[in-house]
Amino acid sequence: VNNAEGALAWPAMDRRLGAAQGEADAAMTLVLSRLDEYQGQPNALFCADEVFCGRAPHRGTETCAVVEAMASLEQAFSVLGDPSLVDRLEALAFNALPAALTDDMWTH
């Protein structure tokens, strides 16, 4: 969860603390490209439980990381205004979040 909060929230927070728009946009592009390249999973998120775990197919992503990533992308969109962030948010909402839950709500 800390990975979702820290990595995805950093560029928007940097912008709110005074970084130029271009610098924040470049930072978000860097963060997302590195996460996709080294940690990306088919569910549209990165592999993470308590730590980053690479692209190993036997590892997963906790539900709390999914919802924190969604919140971080929403906040980043509100600060940076990049519509591709909402596209990622939508992919998480329709891919990663349903895969993390069961009908009885006992999975995580």
Side-chain angles (χ1 to χ4, degrees), residues 1-47:
V1 174
N2 293 336
N3 295 314
E5 290 177 282
L8 295 176
W10 163 62
M13 291 302 119
D14 194 30
R15 173 72 177 120
R16 291 186 74 189
L17 292 171
Q21 180 73 38
E23 291 175 19
D25 290 340
M28 183 57 87
T29 299
L30 176 67
V31 166
L32 293 174
S33 67
R34 293 297 188 249
L35 286 173
D36 288 344
E37 183 176 356
Y38 296 108
Q39 311 294 331
Q41 295 286 303
N43 65 5
L45 191 57
F46 46 83
C47 182

Side-chain angles (χ1 to χ4, degrees), residues 4-105:
E5 290 177 282
L8 295 176
W10 163 62
M13 291 302 119
D14 194 30
R15 173 72 177 120
R16 291 186 74 189
L17 292 171
Q21 180 73 38
E23 291 175 19
D25 290 340
M28 183 57 87
T29 299
L30 176 67
V31 166
L32 293 174
S33 67
R34 293 297 188 249
L35 286 173
D36 288 344
E37 183 176 356
Y38 296 108
Q39 311 294 331
Q41 295 286 303
N43 65 5
L45 191 57
F46 46 83
C47 182
D49 36 37
E50 299 304 321
V51 297
F52 283 128
C53 54
R55 299 184 68 142
H58 67 284
R59 298 286 298 269
T61 303
E62 292 182 342
T63 305
C64 53
V66 175
V67 296
E68 288 296 339
M70 291 172 66
S72 293
L73 288 168
E74 182 180 10
Q75 180 66 29
F77 172 72
S78 72
V79 173
L80 302 175
D82 181 358
S84 71
L85 298 172
V86 179
D87 290 339
R88 284 180 173 268
L89 175 59
E90 181 181 46
L92 292 176
F94 286 101
N95 293 299
L97 188 58
L101 303 173
T102 59
D103 291 341
D104 62 6
M105 302 301 268

